[in-house]
Amino acid sequence: MTKILVIEDELEVRENILETLKAEKFDVTEAENGFAGTRLAIALQPDLIICDVMMPQLDGYGVLRVLRQNENTATIPFIFLTAKSEKADWRRGMELGADDYLIKPFSTKELLAAIAARLQGRVALEKKHAKELKELENKYSNLLYYDSLTKLPNRLSLRSLFEEARAKLSLETQHSASNTGSSTDNLSAKGETLLEGKGFAPIAKPEAPTKKMLPVLCLGLDRLSRINETLGYSFGDLLLKAVAKRLTNFLEPGHVVARLNSDQFAIVPGAIAQRNEASKIAENLLAAIAKPFLLEGKEVFVTASTGMAVYPQDGQRIDQLLQKANKAMRRVKESGGNNYQFYIAVWHRASDEILALENGLRYALDADEFELYYQPQVDLQTGQIVGAEALLRWQHPQLGLVSPAKFIPLAEESGLIVPIGEWVLKTACQQSKAWQAAGFPSLRMAVNLSGRQFALPNLRQRLVQILMEASFNPEYLDLELTESIVIQDPKAASGILQLLKTLGVKIAIDDFGTGYSSLSYLQQFPFDLLKIDRCFIKNISKNPTNQALTKSIIEMAHSLNLQAIAEGVETEAEMGLLRQYKCDLMQGYLFSKPLPALKFEQLLR
Ligand code: C2E
Ligand code: CA
Ligand code: CA
């Protein structure tokens, strides 16, 4: 039953609402002041809150502010009741994150309509989509979860397999911890009851160390491209299959091998008690790979480089761990390959170039060295430009144009991304507004949001400020976020996104398909658009697996009521396929590269 909390100090109004809601079979709770209401909201976590603005002591704004800051209540739909019809009043409520308001006196019909509108978006639709999505995922599961060449689990499966291993580990750790109290229990728990069974007294044995770490290995074949070039890609594929087989045979049941991309594999062996056990595993793996492969009558030798990270020391989540393992692997490759190494937190990085960039970044904003380029987003059915993605460019005084792929990560690390990102938002909104004012058809403006920005406690306020200053209608703004940003703390992220959406902005999930989360996992976030990463689109016309994947992603996006947009469309053939798959929008060099504002304007004309 749907729970509704009504916070209203006027008895008569409160009882009227209660009566109406009970007649509609809602599970209603009442509070006669703001304090009681806040407490009840946190304790009950209702599906909807209806709250009066004018109340003594803690008024409706105060209640809303408290609830929006509490992660358990941040996303509960909130309807204000206000006696005043002044605009400033409800505007303040909406700014604080209210979802709707009713002006007193309101009719039963108005009340129920407002409630229905709020609940619909949340409960009913979500359930329907979840079911549909599950069916689609089952239908495509081979494609979505396994690598088509080696039949190994892919990156997406790795996430759930790792979660399983992690859950098992924590169970075992708990188990051994709860058993250390009694020595007999302790022994029997490990299946060592033999001595007891034969009438011996249990002997105190040295404690076996508890296994509490999970190593994650990233193994990359050395010089696969050389083999592809000299012996052909189909031979390379044969080799990859053989390597996959060897890796699988090497591991014990329950341990995981997955293929990450062309020449990289991830391995999650069982739990270990000490780091050097992981070294042993890596050593054996390398030795196994180093034995010659006999393929099509040829004897081939390959070597591999392995980087390792360890849960929980190096991270909690598989993507953090793999990122670190990968960094370690690249180090190994740089120093010649055929070796292994752990991730080390304090590698002194900073080549001279990076230091120079980092220094330069500090002054770039003041020195006006940034510029925004705009890349059109095109409706695949009509061929019209319907939006643009703002992409940052840095004109370095000595180095020339520096790629954002290079300096954004540095800006992230140093925190400079916060002022830079704010400048981007401001500039993009102003530019978009200027185009609207000049009479161009209203376009959507997409802006990339970094993780650091997303974590800012006053993000919503800053956004309101920027939108107001530019008098830009938030309905035209898309914020692009990558999966890694939202999955760090899904519950909080969901809350933040809901809050942002109350402004009217749309949220896009960027680079979809490159991370470790499936759509059914990501559907807990209120996204509006899904951007299919360009690695799927690249060569799509020649790659049946990518065709099938792209098609299924589009279908799933649609089942969730998300618009699908394909990135990196470079050829007519790719566009044709995407149109056939009913993809909504596209972006890519085929239509246009990102352009400076003036050039973009010419394109619009
Ligand atoms: P992204 O958000 O995935 O942006 C799309 C990238 O794909 C852009 O690279 C764009 O130039 C490129 N691209 C577009 N069409 C094609 C195509 O047909 N083929 C190919 N090969 N590439 C295409 P760009 O501009 O170098 O940006 C790289 C990344 O830097 C962006 O990836 C985004 O993650 C980040 N970035 C750019 N501007 C900003 C910004 O203002 N804020 C933040 N936080 N990140 C930004
Ligand atoms: Ca983007
Ligand atoms: Ca992207």
Side-chain angles (χ1 to χ4, degrees), residues 389 448 480 510 531 567:
E389 177 176 5
N448 292 287
E480 296 193 356
D510 204 354
K531 298 194 82 174
E567 291 191 288

Side-chain angles (χ1 to χ4, degrees), residues 187-188 190-201 205:
L187 288 174
S188 57
K190 290 177 185 156
E192 294 175 24
T193 44
L194 274 177
L195 295 177
E196 261 186 283
K198 288 182 181 165
F200 292 94
K205 278 194 181 175

